[in-house]
Amino acid sequence: MAKPKYSLSGITVEDPYGVFSPKLHRSMAKDRYERLERVAVERCLKAGDHVLDLGAGCGVVGALAASIVGAEAVTSVEANPGLEDLIKHIHKINGYGDINLVTGLAGKGKGSATFYISRDFWASSLSPDTPDIVSKEKIKKIDINDLAKKVKANVLVCDIEGAEFALLDVLDLAPFDLVIMEIHPTPDNIEEVGALYQTMIKAGLLPDLSTALRPTVAIFQRSERYSA
């Protein structure tokens, strides 16, 4: 029986490795998977950008970014080592096999951390409270500031399941003129959400309220990018 194939924002998606859960198949079929993030990427990226994509998932957003800026200008980072083959496959079948894929946990310094793998890979995280854990992995840490400098990134696309708050404690925002970030607000972290916005504004990255996509995907840009 042929495996399902999907098209999300023009990116072909298939799962030859059996990674997708039934829930994820339904999300793909209804064009819901990372939909708001995809819309933001299509609206905001432009030729000449260099993109650092944190939380690559199955590779769709990285491939979409590459369709705008070129594969050589995209670096995708994914903590879950079990997704590496799938990401490479999706990049390749869409013609973006030259995307730089890095497997590990973006943060400060080196070392390792425990990563909890959920049945629905998009819910995997550093938290032992991750839903439907099927395994846990020791993963290497990657210094995010060294990587951003190395790949000359000026755009950050970030979907790291709540770890965005801790990331901003160590991330140098100076190189970025555009940040697209999926935020995971809950009644318990509203102060952290407020602090995140304050950090961005202090760094000169202003919330783009004209293109914000509900509370879950925030877009921040420097003033010069608005007028470009």
Side-chain angles (χ1 to χ4, degrees):
M1 182 177 177
K3 292 185 179 295
K5 185 178 290 189
Y6 310 101
S7 179
L8 304 178
S9 303
I11 301 302
T12 298
V13 183
E14 60 185 21
D15 177 23
Y17 306 104
V19 173
F20 293 173
S21 67
K23 182 178 179 180
L24 187 52
H25 276 290
R26 291 193 296 271
S27 179
M28 295 278 183
K30 294 179 179 179
D31 194 32
R32 291 177 178 171
Y33 176 74
E34 304 294 15
R35 185 180 64 82
L36 296 183
E37 195 173 337
R38 287 185 278 120
V39 170
V41 165
E42 290 181 295
R43 286 183 182 177
C44 298
L45 289 194
K46 58 186 180 181
D49 284 333
H50 285 72
V51 179
L52 182 57
D53 170 32
L54 298 186
C58 65
V60 171
V61 172
L64 181 59
S67 73
I68 300 169
V69 303
E72 70 284 349
V74 178
T75 295
S76 289
V77 180
E78 174 53 48
N80 185 347
L83 295 178
E84 183 174 358
D85 288 342
L86 176 61
I87 295 169
K88 288 180 177 178
H89 175 78
I90 289 176
H91 287 172
K92 183 177 180 179
I93 64 173
N94 284 283
Y96 305 119
D98 290 336
I99 290 175
N100 178 28
L101 176 61
V102 179
T103 302
L105 175 68
K108 182 178 181 180
K110 299 180 180 179
S112 64
T114 300
F115 191 70
Y116 297 88
I117 312 296
S118 173
R119 181 183 59 203
D120 298 307
F121 69 73
W122 56 17
S124 301
S125 74
L126 292 169
S127 172
D129 295 326
T130 294
D132 302 317
I133 294 172
V134 294
S135 67
K136 58 182 181 179
E137 301 278 349
K138 281 287 186 182
I139 55 173
K140 67 179 181 180
K141 292 182 179 179
I142 299 162
D143 191 290
I144 183 61
N145 295 315
D146 287 349
L147 179 60
K149 183 177 180 180
K150 179 180 178 181
V151 301
K152 300 178 180 179
N154 71 297
V155 174
L156 176 67
V157 180
C158 181
D159 180 7
I160 52 177
E161 297 307 313
E164 61 270 10
F165 304 112
L167 179 70
L168 286 189
D169 289 338
V170 300
L171 178 63
D172 179 8
L173 289 167
F176 300 104
D177 55 40
L178 170 65
V179 174
I180 298 170
M181 179 175 288
E182 183 165 316
I183 298 173
H184 301 80
T186 71
D188 296 326
N189 70 8
I190 193 65
E191 291 185 1
E192 287 181 297
V193 173
L196 184 151
Y197 272 78
Q198 289 179 340
T199 297
M200 290 292 188
I201 292 169
K202 286 180 180 178
L205 288 155
L206 307 178
D208 185 348
L209 301 179
S210 66
T211 56
L213 297 159
R214 291 194 280 177
T216 54
V217 174
I219 300 166
F220 303 90
Q221 301 191 63
R222 298 196 184 277
S223 56
E224 55 267 28
R225 192 171 178 109
Y226 284 101
S227 58

